[in-house]
Amino acid sequence: MTLALLSWNVNGLRTCYDRKYFLPVFRHNPGIVCVQETKAPAEKLPEKVRDLCGYHTYFSAVRPGSIAGVGLFSRQEPLSVKFGFGDPQFDSAGRVLIADYGTFLLLNIYFPLGIKPMGNLDNKLRFYDAFLSYIRQVPANLPVIVCGDFNVAHTDKDLYNPPKKPVQQIGISPDERGKIDCLIQLGFTDTFRMFHRESGHYTRWPFQHDARKKNYGWRLDYFFVNEPVRPYVLDAAIMPQYMGSDHCPVMLEINLPEKDASYPVTKAS
């Protein structure tokens, strides 16, 4: 069965909904929609968002004043949903949602930006290490999909004006890019690059100076899949036509088998 998944840093779910930007993405009839930077716990969201018709919804806790928060809208009810990697240092930040569907595991993550006062680069790198540590615990034959705002432009093709040599700039520093290299070394594939090898495709643009209109952007939002999922990837795309945030949605279309006896019943804890 074909499944369409969307991921979108909405930069405030209440505002995106109130301005009538959020619900139009559901015209694509996605099976799963992952959102990041909700900036609000479930009880602060509009009822039509919390109880969206046809979807099971889940939202992380959000600290007062935090820009974090992740959410999941899913037509199929997951077997379980948990928040965090099991690392006390990061689990209360509201940046991680892990949904177990039995035949695949979905990680929806809002990675730290790494800029003060909301954080710093060392904290961002430690968060990536916690993420990679969790990934290493997942059984190798279990299909895994990771999506979200990674807050890293992985290669120079992923930003409109790359520097001529490596620089210590947040979002493109060698240390940050190296963390995504580690994910790829663990067998994960950037699905967008399966279909689009060229530069000029971005998912986040500053609000200033008509950057979006001029396409002065960075590609920070991804769907990564591991080897058990890769053969079933049908398409991956960026959807810049959707406004309402400094980011736009990204899409993944897959056709995973509904059941496979080789999938483990117990997943990484």
Side-chain angles (χ1 to χ4, degrees), residues 236-255:
I238 293 171
M239 307 168 76
Q241 68 270 31
Y242 287 99
M243 311 298 286
S245 170
D246 51 342
H247 293 249
C248 73
V250 294
M251 181 274 293
L252 173 68
E253 191 174 17
I254 59 174
N255 189 16

Side-chain angles (χ1 to χ4, degrees), residues 9 36-37 67-70 95 108-112 127 149 151:
N9 178 326
Q36 304 88 41
E37 203 173 341
I67 65 168
V70 289
R95 293 182 175 274
N108 172 20
I109 306 177
Y110 177 38
F111 288 83
F127 185 96
D149 177 2
N151 266 316

Side-chain angles (χ1 to χ4, degrees), residues 208-222:
Q208 302 87 357
H209 312 300
D210 287 330
R212 188 161 184 161
K213 183 177 180 180
K214 297 173 183 176
N215 202 27
Y216 293 168
W218 290 22
R219 192 171 73 99
L220 304 178
D221 305 84
Y222 304 84

